Amino acid sequence: MADQEKMNQMAKELEELKALIKALIKGKDAESSSTSTPTESSKELCINLPKPFTGDCSQFSNFKNALDIYFAINEGAYNSNARKIGFALSFLEGNASSWKTAFIQQHTINGTLNLGTYADFLTAIKKDFEEVDKKGDTIYKLPHLKQGNRHAEELVSDFHVLAHHTNLISTSC
């Protein structure tokens, strides 16, 4: 029975991806004419892709930063709301996959997927996944920081990252 549920979930996700691809193709057709050729600025540079986001709020900031960098480097290739949102949605896995499903359902009207603006997408995803009290969480983590089997440099690096998040001390030289 679990296999059947898994197959049903996969079929549902496949349909969502099909709708997303249609929306992306529709956005591409509206943005460029069929006679245009790719320019240097529209080519996607091969840099590290963002790591999949599983819904862990402590990792949301890293995920968003990775998206920001990717879009900044590849601004010609990701020059529309649909492309940015579709790219970001493709990295939502685990618990975040349920959020993706709900987002797609909310933005599908009469069988047409309208993803809205990237700014609205960011507002929505931040509302559910951005850490509420990052400073407080970081202050809690500081006294629990342990070296363990790590090199001292790794411990010092982790301390500096945490200290930066608290704004309690200056991290400048």
Side-chain angles (χ1 to χ4, degrees), residues 58 61-62 131-140 165-166:
S58 69
S61 177
N62 292 334
E131 285 183 290
V132 176
D133 185 12
K134 187 169 189 155
K135 184 176 180 179
D137 290 344
T138 302
I139 290 171
Y140 174 79
H165 291 299
T166 64

Side-chain angles (χ1 to χ4, degrees), residues 53 55 57 60 99 122-131:
F53 178 66
C57 294
F60 178 75
W99 186 93
L122 284 179
T123 299
I125 197 168
K126 282 180 182 180
K127 179 179 167 235
D128 291 328
F129 293 112
E130 192 169 50
E131 285 183 290

Side-chain angles (χ1 to χ4, degrees), residues 18-170:
K18 285 180 182 178
L20 185 58
I21 289 169
K22 284 181 183 178
L24 290 172
I25 291 170
K26 184 178 179 180
K28 181 179 178 182
D29 290 343
E31 293 164 11
S32 63
S33 68
S34 60
T35 59
S36 65
T37 58
T39 64
E40 189 64 33
S41 64
S42 68
K43 290 182 182 176
E44 191 168 359
L45 298 178
C46 295
I47 63 171
N48 285 338
L49 294 171
K51 291 180 182 175
F53 178 66
T54 61
D56 179 356
C57 294
S58 69
Q59 294 301 311
F60 178 75
S61 177
N62 292 334
F63 176 66
K64 185 186 174 308
N65 289 342
L67 288 175
D68 290 345
I69 291 168
Y70 201 86
F71 293 148
I73 298 298
N74 291 296
E75 66 183 332
Y78 293 94
N79 56 5
S80 75
N81 290 311
R83 290 179 186 189
K84 288 180 181 177
I85 295 168
F87 184 81
L89 287 172
S90 73
F91 288 93
L92 300 185
E93 297 179 351
N95 291 336
S97 180
S98 299
W99 186 93
K100 172 176 63 175
T101 300
F103 179 85
I104 291 171
Q105 289 173 347
Q106 290 170 355
H107 290 83
T108 302
I109 300 168
N110 297 328
T112 301
L113 182 62
N114 180 356
L115 297 172
T117 68
Y118 186 65
D120 289 343
F121 169 78
L122 284 179
T123 299
I125 197 168
K126 282 180 182 180
K127 179 179 167 235
D128 291 328
F129 293 112
E130 192 169 50
E131 285 183 290
V132 176
D133 185 12
K134 187 169 189 155
K135 184 176 180 179
D137 290 344
T138 302
I139 290 171
Y140 174 79
K141 290 176 186 176
L142 274 171
H144 297 91
L145 193 60
K146 305 257 187 264
Q147 182 172 354
N149 294 330
R150 303 182 300 163
H151 293 284
E153 292 86 5
E154 293 176 69
L155 177 66
V156 171
S157 176
D158 286 350
F159 173 79
H160 282 291
V161 168
L162 291 174
H164 173 72
H165 291 299
T166 64
N167 296 324
L168 293 176
I169 62 173
S170 173

